[in-house]
Amino acid sequence: MNHSRVFRPLLLAALIASLSACGGGGDGNDSSGGTGGGTEQPAGTLASYAGQYDLQTEDGTVLSITVDQNGRVTSCGAAYTCEGTLALKPGGREASLTLSGSDGQGAAGLRVSLDASIDAAGGVTGTWAAQSSEGNSSGKLTGQKKPSGTGTGGGASATLASFAGQYNLRADEGVTLQFTAGNDGSIKSCVGEVVYACNGSITLDAGGQGASFTVSGNDGEQPIDTRVTLNGKIDLQGNVTGSYSGTSQSEGSFSGTLSGTREGAPSTTPPGSAQGCATLAGTWTSPQSGTWVFSGSKAVLTLDSINYGPRAQQITELALSSCASSVLQYKIVRAALINTVDPSFAYDKKPGSAGVDWNKSYSQPYTLSGSRLTIVNDIYTKQ
């Protein structure tokens, strides 16, 4: 009985950690965060939905697709061959997207299908399903259409050649990988624990202020044992964030997050800070959802928990590895309930304590707009 009472307040940490739980039950029709006032958006055309969309599954896998003026999906990145269509829903204020693709590895490879809705603001919500020789899997996805003018308000646009070079990546579990990109954006050389047979490409983001990459490869064995896919973002300084997923005949499926830099690229991360987190530094509050404090590579969420006493608070501390590309990447390093009226409810758990997977890495998208920070569906204001 006491055991269950102690772990009930850990629900907050679980909510932060689980994208599938945090994403809510939205069906793509949620209008929250819009222009307000009840103004009805004009009906769109297929051409109004044309552009590039960045999609992300709840486990952090990213995929970029391109839709043309006729509603046809023309690209799913270098690692996939795909076909798909976009169709207007009645009224023209939303569109439906259906897509199917594969990694080109034949019957033993990966086959993926997507079904999603796109609203007039370019927001995407839907589901995905995958089949491979390792079994079936499915889940939810979200995404956003890239603004056509992204990145035009500052420096000069980059070219594919400016992203050429050798990239040194590190997975969340400590495995390292190198790949080499050519002046044309092609990726043909991958070296990790083994030399991988790989192919992939870098594509410029809208406005030329960054790039996306997709790489697929295998261990080159006969028969092939391990297949891996990488997806990610590269900024103008050569900093990399992304995700990986793969299957192994001997070890099963695996996935996670990765980060890295281009060899010779200058470091833009201050000592003691996680990449991209400087823009979040400070205190952010919400009357209903508590207070976030971001400092260097640490983030702490403090939330009043009056069910356990007038001064009781839940504290969740994260060790940040990156905040780049509007995605928090982190591990939980503290989960506490303090100042409870009944001391038997209080706890302060840190790595080594039971009840939390301290070694697991998580990713959580966020939105930063001026003095407003949105994490999950909670809005925080800068103090």
Side-chain angles (χ1 to χ4, degrees):
M1 180 102 177
N2 192 38
H3 178 79
S4 63
R5 290 189 300 172
V6 168
F7 288 101
R8 269 183 61 195
L10 282 174
L11 174 62
L12 178 63
L15 286 175
I16 295 171
S18 171
L19 288 179
S20 59
C22 290
D27 59 2
N29 296 318
D30 186 3
S31 60
S32 61
T35 56
T39 302
E40 192 173 73
Q41 299 242 7
T45 63
L46 280 178
S48 68
Y49 289 93
Q52 184 175 334
Y53 293 82
D54 287 338
L55 310 180
Q56 183 170 11
T57 66
E58 65 263 54
D59 66 359
T61 301
V62 296
L63 174 70
S64 292
I65 66 170
T66 303
V67 178
D68 68 13
Q69 302 284 323
N70 298 313
R72 184 171 63 93
V73 178
T74 59
S75 172
C76 295
Y80 294 94
T81 58
C82 72
E83 58 182 16
T85 56
L86 184 148
L88 291 178
K89 292 186 177 182
R93 296 180 182 87
E94 283 191 323
S96 59
L97 170 70
T98 58
L99 181 151
S100 60
S102 71
D103 61 1
Q105 301 293 329
L110 178 68
R111 298 176 298 283
V112 179
S113 62
L114 310 179
D115 287 286
S117 293
I118 306 175
D119 63 27
V124 182
T125 56
T127 60
W128 61 272
Q131 296 177 316
S132 73
S133 58
E134 301 298 321
N136 301 334
S137 56
S138 61
K140 296 180 181 179
L141 62 86
T142 58
Q144 182 65 46
K145 181 181 178 182
K146 285 192 173 183
S148 58
T150 299
T152 58
S157 297
T159 63
L160 282 176
S162 63
F163 292 98
Q166 180 174 299
Y167 289 83
N168 299 313
L169 310 181
R170 183 179 180 87
D172 50 14
E173 61 182 15
V175 176
T176 58
L177 175 73
Q178 296 176 338
F179 70 71
T180 302
N183 289 327
D184 60 352
S186 62
I187 298 172
K188 297 180 179 178
S189 174
C190 301
V191 179
E193 293 178 321
V194 298
V195 177
Y196 287 92
C198 74
N199 63 80
S201 66
I202 294 175
T203 56
L204 291 177
D205 291 343
Q209 299 299 300
S212 303
F213 69 89
T214 307
V215 184
S216 61
N218 60 66
D219 58 10
E221 298 291 334
Q222 295 296 330
I224 294 172
D225 179 78
T226 303
R227 292 182 172 87
V228 181
T229 299
L230 313 179
N231 295 280
K233 298 283 189 180
I234 309 172
D235 66 19
L236 292 179
Q237 288 73 43
N239 297 307
V240 179
T241 57
S243 63
Y244 65 89
S245 62
T247 58
S248 168
Q249 296 290 340
S250 58
E251 299 181 11
S253 300
F254 54 89
S255 62
T257 58
L258 59 85
S259 60
T261 58
R262 185 176 67 244
E263 195 164 283
S267 174
T268 59
T269 303
S273 298
Q275 180 187 336
C277 295
T279 57
L280 298 177
T283 301
W284 305 78
T285 63
S286 166
Q288 297 80 27
S289 305
T291 299
W292 279 102
V293 177
F294 288 84
S295 177
S297 59
K298 182 173 75 171
V300 179
L301 173 63
T302 303
L303 180 64
D304 291 338
S305 189
I306 59 175
N307 288 338
Y308 296 92
R311 297 176 56 247
Q313 291 182 314
Q314 289 176 310
I315 299 174
T316 305
E317 183 175 331
L318 312 179
L320 302 168
S321 58
S322 174
C323 305
S325 302
S326 297
V327 177
L328 299 176
Q329 298 182 12
Y330 61 89
K331 291 183 178 180
I332 298 174
V333 294
R334 185 188 179 199
L337 178 64
I338 63 173
N339 300 328
T340 59
V341 171
D342 183 345
S344 68
F345 283 101
Y347 62 86
D348 193 345
K349 293 183 173 295
K350 298 179 180 179
S353 303
V356 178
D357 187 351
W358 304 106
N359 294 318
K360 186 173 182 179
S361 296
Y362 303 97
S363 61
Q364 175 65 59
Y366 68 90
T367 302
L368 181 61
S369 178
S371 60
R372 190 173 79 167
L373 171 66
T374 303
I375 301 177
V376 192
N377 295 317
D378 298 319
I379 299 174
Y380 302 84
T381 303
K382 184 71 175 288
Q383 299 303 298

